[in-house]
Amino acid sequence: MAEPRKVQRHWNTELTEAAPEQRIGTPRPGHGTIYVHLSGAGERERHTVWAATWEDPFDQPGENGEVAGIATREGSREEVLAWVRSQPAVTLLLAHPDEGWIPLPANDDDVVLHEPEHRIKRRPRPGDPDGPTAS
């Protein structure tokens, strides 16, 4: 067995200080972008949740020092699209697997989100509804 050796570490003091707190507020009507995407698309999730995030970066800090306004919504396709359509954001974007962020179609029937590749091609595991059974 090898003997442990002493490792001396040198830390850069500039990197050990915490970043200043950044306050987040509410998006302003007529500003910002709403991004519509899928949430819960990780390996362990068994279902996909629709999500939208409204991001409004402020040019100047708000009354209480807010640097941006952020609002989010998760739920069914219908719930998320209804929320998105009711918000007064300037830009509405939809996640597209090949083209990145594209304008959200005006008609909800044309709004399609695709499962990420790693979700589609994941091999079934024991315990998955369509996976192999444990022996």
Side-chain angles (χ1 to χ4, degrees):
M1 178 176 200
E3 289 195 28
R5 59 180 205 204
K6 207 174 202 179
V7 177
Q8 189 173 20
R9 292 188 167 92
H10 300 279
W11 301 101
N12 183 342
T13 56
E14 293 174 18
L15 300 178
T16 58
E17 295 178 19
E21 179 180 326
Q22 293 186 339
R23 293 184 180 268
I24 302 298
T26 304
R28 301 165 294 168
H31 293 83
T33 301
I34 294 181
Y35 300 92
V36 180
H37 53 95
L38 295 177
S39 177
E43 288 262 341
R44 294 177 180 228
E45 296 292 331
R46 293 184 184 218
H47 64 282
T48 300
V49 176
W50 281 61
T53 305
W54 183 4
E55 296 180 4
D56 174 17
F58 298 168
D59 294 332
Q60 299 291 322
E63 292 178 11
N64 298 312
E66 304 94 344
V67 296
I70 297 178
T72 60
R73 180 66 51 129
E74 285 189 344
S76 69
R77 178 183 189 278
E78 294 76 21
E79 292 168 339
V80 169
L81 289 177
W83 180 80
V84 168
R85 300 289 187 201
S86 70
Q87 303 308 308
V90 172
T91 308
L92 306 177
L93 297 177
L94 179 69
H96 188 279
D98 299 323
E99 300 174 34
W101 295 104
I102 62 171
L104 185 73
N107 186 336
D108 285 354
D109 292 337
D110 297 331
V111 176
V112 177
L113 285 174
H114 301 277
E115 295 275 346
E117 287 295 315
H118 72 275
R119 269 279 289 202
I120 296 171
K121 295 182 180 179
R122 182 175 72 84
R123 282 187 264 153
R125 296 188 175 148
D128 283 354
D130 298 324
T133 57
S135 331

